[in-house]
Amino acid sequence: MIKEKQKIIVVLGPTASGKSEMAVRLAKEFGGEVVSADSRQVYRGMDVGTGKVPMDKNSKSEFKIQKDSYYYRGIPHYLIDVASPRRSFSVERYKKLAGKAVRDILKRGKVPIVCGGTGFYIDALIYDRKLPEVPPQSDLRRKLERCSVEELFSRLLKLDPDRAENIEQKNKRRLIRALEIVITSGESVPQLSTSQVDNFDVLKIGIDVSREELRKKIDRRFKGWLREGLLGGFFSKSWRRSRIRKSVMPAAFSAVWMVRRKPL
């Protein structure tokens, strides 16, 4: 007898397209709970510039939640504020924590709704993929940090052409991680097999927004970040000590300048 796969929903879409609100609407309609899939929203204290939904102010008293629980508009959200910005947070760690959250949601008869813009996190969670067990290599990372993205990509192209073919060529953090895996393990980065979904019957919902409407939404979001102290946060002492400053700061601006072509 074939075991029926458990159902989960995945909400996809570009920055500022309305993924979070769609996830909440679905959760309220179908009795679901949200699992965030965002590589920056996992960090505590990084509330401005990451698109993190605000925690309900009355959540502790109204919902009687446990420690580390996170509610938005009355809906439990997981994988938000689970890591210190002074420590690296890997996709392996995400897969472990998100998988635990999904299993817990299903066990309680609820519908897991995975929502976020980090596709690598989503793929690692829903597909049967063996992730490389290579811990961060501090000395190697420091050496690679001194290289330009062009130099890193060129090196990856020689060592692992398959990974180089589908990696973001300008994403320094991912280039360094890919090289770290190849150099440390001597093996290529495992490629994702999309032919088999592990344990889940997945419904993917993609949000399609016109370029002009998306530009307006990103403008509004970016101006809101500025009002909330985006730049001051970037140059604070705690931010300078953060391990993720080099990946979050470009990300906060990249979506704006990739879509819009005129000054604020």
Side-chain angles (χ1 to χ4, degrees):
M1 183 177 181
I2 300 176
K3 184 179 178 181
E4 184 179 355
K5 291 183 178 180
Q6 295 172 305
K7 295 177 173 60
I8 68 172
I9 298 173
V10 175
V11 180
L12 305 163
T15 296
S17 60
K19 295 186 297 295
S20 297
E21 298 305 316
M22 173 62 76
V24 167
R25 285 173 55 192
L26 291 169
K28 290 185 174 183
E29 180 71 22
F30 299 106
E33 298 181 359
V34 177
V35 179
S36 172
D38 190 290
S39 61
R40 295 163 182 88
Q41 294 179 13
V42 296
Y43 292 106
R44 290 185 291 271
M46 300 301 165
D47 301 332
V48 180
T50 59
K52 187 185 296 181
V53 295
M55 179 187 282
D56 290 343
K57 292 181 179 180
N58 60 347
S59 60
K60 289 186 178 180
S61 59
E62 182 178 345
F63 302 106
K64 299 179 180 179
I65 57 180
Q66 299 177 351
K67 182 182 178 182
D68 297 329
S69 295
Y70 197 107
Y71 276 77
Y72 171 61
R73 294 181 57 191
I75 300 298
H77 283 59
Y78 302 89
L79 275 293
I80 295 178
D81 286 356
V82 295
S84 166
R86 298 188 186 183
R87 296 178 179 272
S88 298
F89 188 89
S90 66
V91 66
E92 299 97 318
R93 179 70 173 158
Y94 175 82
K95 182 180 180 182
K96 179 179 179 180
L97 293 179
K100 182 177 182 297
V102 167
R103 289 190 297 272
D104 180 62
I105 294 168
L106 289 167
K107 189 183 298 183
R108 289 183 283 106
K110 301 287 187 177
V111 179
I113 301 171
V114 181
C115 173
T118 304
F120 194 45
Y121 276 14
I122 295 172
D123 288 343
L125 175 62
I126 67 174
Y127 292 108
D128 186 13
R129 184 182 192 186
K130 185 178 183 299
L131 296 171
E133 297 180 2
V134 177
Q137 309 293 313
S138 300
D139 291 341
L140 177 58
R141 286 191 175 188
R142 279 194 290 270
K143 293 178 182 177
L144 294 174
E145 281 284 357
R146 293 195 284 267
C147 300
S148 66
V149 290
E150 290 78 16
E151 291 170 331
L152 293 170
F153 180 74
S154 177
R155 189 170 181 183
L156 181 63
L157 190 61
K158 294 177 181 177
L159 295 175
D160 189 352
D162 289 338
R163 179 65 178 122
E165 185 177 345
N166 57 46
I167 200 170
E168 294 177 52
Q169 296 185 23
K170 299 297 182 180
N171 191 319
K172 192 170 188 177
R173 182 170 58 90
R174 291 188 179 175
L175 288 168
I176 289 175
R177 178 56 179 162
L179 284 168
E180 184 178 50
I181 293 170
V182 175
I183 294 171
T184 303
S185 67
E187 300 177 358
S188 299
V189 179
Q191 296 301 304
L192 176 64
S193 173
T194 58
S195 60
Q196 180 182 357
V197 179
D198 184 22
N199 296 330
F200 303 122
D201 180 7
V202 181
L203 171 63
K204 290 185 178 181
I205 299 175
I207 300 179
D208 186 17
V209 183
S210 70
R211 187 179 182 84
E212 181 59 25
E213 180 62 24
L214 189 62
R215 187 190 68 78
K216 291 178 181 178
K217 288 187 173 186
I218 289 177
D219 275 356
R220 288 195 294 269
R221 175 176 288 190
F222 186 64
K223 289 174 182 177
W225 288 348
L226 293 177
R227 287 192 297 270
E228 293 169 9
L230 175 69
L231 296 180
F234 279 147
F235 297 108
S236 67
K237 183 181 290 186
S238 61
W239 177 259
R240 291 197 299 271
R241 291 199 299 264
S242 165
R243 285 177 177 265
I244 62 167
R245 65 191 184 280
K246 292 182 180 179
S247 63
V248 175
M249 189 169 187
F253 293 98
S254 63
V256 178
W257 302 116
M258 284 173 64
V259 175
R260 66 192 319 280
R261 289 294 182 269
K262 65 180 182 179
L264 290 168

